[in-house]
């Protein structure tokens, strides 16, 4: 068990002790007062109030110590509490009865986190010797649009650490957050060449999310990356574009688009982008933009269900993944807002990209877990670090890479 999970478990134990002892102390106090009131009043109280006062003060002090140790511990160490439950705990903390209900929610949430992470820890220890993700070629993770690879905030959440623990060697695309597909493809090709030349690995297994999948297809087909790519797995990539993006560009005034573009490009430049191009990225994500790209680099349907034996993708394992949200309320902002709009225009979607746009390559995996939660565009990269019932995103990536290893890649 990791130190963080051990601390979470300790915090839960302290909160459980507080919850039950507070409940027992409250019931005992009420029962005692009732008994005293039934006796000759006020004689019994006059004789016992000093000891009652001391006992009550000691109980409050002890309970407070237990509570604050527990609550601070879980607030600091828990990942699954999230902002919403933390706020509920703070707001309800001063309201009788409501505070105990909120505390039960906190205990339940952290307890489930401890159970889940402990089971995952046990699984990883049991298969550690097998190194199931120790592929022949390293894994290159390629991010989507409007994000940069940084040490401060990993775009892929807890996924890279899980892959590395199971033997994978991980690299990142390190390309700009917003640029046209051709420009991003050229950056990624340079990155791949650098990795191959400096490590001698020969090739890379690429896992690309969202627009990153389009960037890599272009890099392989037009920028010379093909000889150095063993496999390409696209995750929730809009291979046929986003109809919602077309609609927004039609409805938002050009002046407003330019203002957003200027603001984003300025901010991105300060954060490390050399030549950010917000509108070029957006236009390449539209249905019209993807149709143009597909005509240039090969239609997205060409490989669907078949391995390529000719052309730039020959010899490269190509596969894709897509998912859907079940309801708008199950997605985090802003995907809970965009989901119904994308559904109106394009049908079932992950909050940004619709189901018909996902399939590409010789194998397509459609993720639609049981229940009412679903899996969003952000869930697929563990952006919110959330344990989703019925879908372990970290294990999903472990199995993707393990399958590549089994194929000799």
């Amino acid at each position: 068990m990791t130190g963080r999970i051990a601390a979470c478990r300790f915090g839960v134990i302290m909160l459980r002790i507080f919850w039950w002892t507070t409940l027992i102390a409250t019931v005992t106090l009420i029962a005692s007062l009732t008994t005293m009131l039934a006796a000759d009043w006020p004689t019994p109280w006059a004789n016992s109030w000093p000891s009652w006062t001391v006992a009550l003060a000691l109980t409050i002090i002890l309970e407070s110590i237990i509570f604050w140790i527990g609550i601070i511990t879980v607030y600091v160490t828990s990942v699954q509490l999230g902002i919403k439950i933390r706020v509920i705990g703070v707001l309800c903390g001063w309201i009788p009865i409501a505070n105990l209900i909120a505390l039960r929610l906190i205990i339940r949430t952290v307890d489930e986190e401890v159970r889940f992470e402990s089971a995952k820890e046990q699984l990883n220890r049991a298969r550690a010797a097998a190194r199931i993700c120790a592929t022949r070629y390293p894994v290159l993770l390629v991010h989507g649009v409007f994000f940069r690879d940084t040490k401060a905030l990993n775009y892929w959440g807890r996924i890279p650490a899980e892959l590395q623990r199971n033997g994978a060697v991980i690299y990142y695309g390190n390309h700009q957050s917003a640029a046209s597909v051709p420009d991003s493809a050229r950056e990624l090709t340079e990155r791949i060449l650098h990795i191959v030349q400096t490590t001698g690995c020969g090739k890379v297994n690429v896992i690309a999310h969202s627009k990153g999948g389009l960037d890599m297809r272009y890099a392989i087909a037009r920028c010379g990356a093909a000889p150095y790519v063993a496999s390409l797995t696209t995750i929730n990539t809009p291979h046929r574009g986003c109809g919602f993006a077309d609609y927004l560009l039609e409805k938002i005034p050009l002046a407003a688009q330019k203002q957003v573009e200027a603001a984003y490009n300025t901010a991105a430049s300060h954060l490390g982008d050399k030549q950010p191009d917000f509108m070029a990225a957006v236009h390449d994500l539209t249905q019209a933009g993807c149709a143009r790209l597909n005509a240039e680099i090969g239609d997205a349907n060409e490989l669907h269900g078949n391995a390529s034996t000719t052309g730039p993708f020959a010899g490269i394992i190509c596969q894709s993944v897509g998912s859907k949200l079940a309801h708008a309320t199950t997605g985090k902002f802003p995907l809970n807002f965009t989901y119904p709009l994308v559904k109106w225009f394009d049908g079932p979607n992950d909050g940004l990209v619709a189901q018909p746009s996902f399939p590409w390559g010789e194998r397509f995996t459609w993720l639609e877990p049981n229940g009412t939660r679903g899996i969003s565009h952000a869930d697929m990269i563990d952006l919110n670090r959330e344990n989703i019932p019925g879908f372990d995103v970290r294990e999903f990536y472990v199995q993707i890479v393990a399958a590549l290893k089994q194929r000799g890649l």
Side-chain angles (χ1 to χ4, degrees):
M1 183 184 298
T2 64
R4 183 183 71 82
I5 295 303
C8 279
R9 173 172 286 178
F10 170 75
V12 167
I13 292 172
M14 297 299 285
L15 291 178
R16 278 185 172 145
I17 292 172
F18 169 80
W19 200 92
W20 283 109
T21 54
T22 297
L23 184 62
I24 292 171
T26 301
V27 171
T28 302
L29 176 63
I30 293 173
S32 299
L33 289 175
T34 301
T35 302
M36 290 178 60
L37 289 173
D40 293 334
W41 181 265
T43 304
W45 174 252
N47 296 331
S48 61
W49 74 263
S51 58
W52 266 95
T53 302
V54 172
L56 182 61
L58 290 175
T59 300
I60 291 174
I61 292 172
L62 182 60
E63 292 292 337
S64 296
I65 292 173
I66 294 173
F67 170 78
W68 284 110
I69 290 176
I71 201 69
I72 291 174
T73 300
V74 299
Y75 265 53
V76 170
T77 60
S78 174
V79 172
Q80 300 308 307
L81 276 182
I83 295 175
K84 183 173 74 173
I85 296 179
R86 283 179 166 85
V87 170
I88 290 174
V90 172
L91 295 179
C92 295
W94 310 102
I95 306 173
I97 307 301
N99 53 10
L100 292 180
I101 295 174
L103 185 58
R104 287 298 295 170
L105 174 62
I106 291 172
I107 291 172
R108 224 172 26 245
T109 301
V110 181
D111 189 49
E112 174 58 26
E113 179 178 0
V114 170
R115 185 203 64 77
F116 183 87
E117 297 298 337
S118 297
K120 179 169 284 296
E121 177 75 11
Q122 185 176 6
L123 172 63
N124 282 330
R125 284 184 177 179
R127 66 188 180 192
R131 292 175 53 82
I132 63 172
C133 292
T135 51
R136 177 183 178 185
Y137 304 112
V139 175
L140 177 68
L141 297 176
V142 175
H143 68 68
V145 72
F146 308 139
F147 200 94
R148 282 190 61 83
D149 290 315
T150 67
K151 293 182 179 180
L153 178 61
N154 196 310
Y155 180 86
W156 300 86
R158 301 165 294 177
I159 295 166
E162 192 78 4
L163 293 175
Q164 288 170 325
R165 177 158 192 185
N166 284 281
V169 175
I170 301 294
Y171 292 97
Y172 298 93
N174 292 340
H175 53 305
Q176 292 189 98
S177 66
S180 68
V181 166
D183 286 345
S184 294
R186 283 187 281 271
E187 281 191 85
L188 287 168
T189 300
E190 291 177 5
R191 173 63 173 157
I192 292 171
L193 287 172
H194 175 75
I195 293 171
V196 170
Q197 291 169 358
T198 56
T199 67
C201 62
K203 296 184 179 184
V204 293
N205 290 302
V206 182
I207 299 178
H209 178 247
S210 194
K211 177 178 174 287
L214 299 176
D215 299 334
M216 277 307 308
R217 284 178 56 206
Y218 199 99
I220 292 170
R222 290 290 180 266
C223 298
Y228 311 104
V229 177
S231 68
L232 172 58
T233 304
T234 65
I235 308 292
N236 291 49
T237 292
H239 291 289
R240 293 158 197 85
C242 304
F244 181 54
D246 293 76
Y247 174 79
L248 289 178
L249 289 177
E250 290 176 3
K251 297 300 180 182
I252 297 177
L254 184 59
Q257 293 182 31
K258 290 186 175 299
Q259 288 179 342
V260 173
E261 177 184 27
Y264 182 90
N265 288 347
T266 299
S269 296
H270 291 308
L271 293 174
D273 281 8
K274 295 180 180 179
Q275 292 180 312
D277 195 336
F278 176 87
M279 290 309 300
V282 173
H283 279 288
D284 280 352
L285 290 171
T286 62
Q287 289 181 340
C290 284
R292 183 183 66 254
L293 288 168
N294 286 329
E296 184 177 353
I297 63 178
D299 186 76
N301 287 311
E302 285 184 1
L303 295 180
H304 184 36
N306 300 285
S308 179
T309 56
T310 59
F313 293 94
I316 299 174
I317 301 301
C318 300
Q319 56 188 352
S320 54
V321 177
S323 68
K324 63 165 285 188
L325 275 173
H327 304 283
T329 54
T330 60
K332 302 289 186 180
F333 181 83
L335 299 183
N336 56 346
F337 172 73
T338 55
Y339 168 80
L341 298 175
V342 178
K343 185 178 181 180
W344 174 266
F345 289 100
D346 301 331
N349 66 91
D350 65 358
L352 286 177
V353 184
Q355 181 178 5
S357 198
F358 293 133
W360 177 79
E362 64 183 80
R363 180 171 179 264
F364 171 60
T365 301
W366 175 242
L367 299 174
E368 188 175 349
N370 296 329
T372 59
R373 174 63 169 78
I375 306 170
S376 75
H377 199 76
D379 292 333
M380 285 304 302
I381 52 170
D382 196 35
L383 191 62
N384 299 307
R385 281 67 169 170
E386 181 180 358
N387 293 340
I388 300 171
F391 177 64
D392 183 348
V393 65
R394 286 173 282 173
E395 186 62 20
F396 180 75
Y397 278 85
V398 165
Q399 294 306 318
I400 286 178
V401 177
L404 294 175
K405 178 184 177 181
Q406 291 175 355
R407 298 183 70 162
L409 304 178

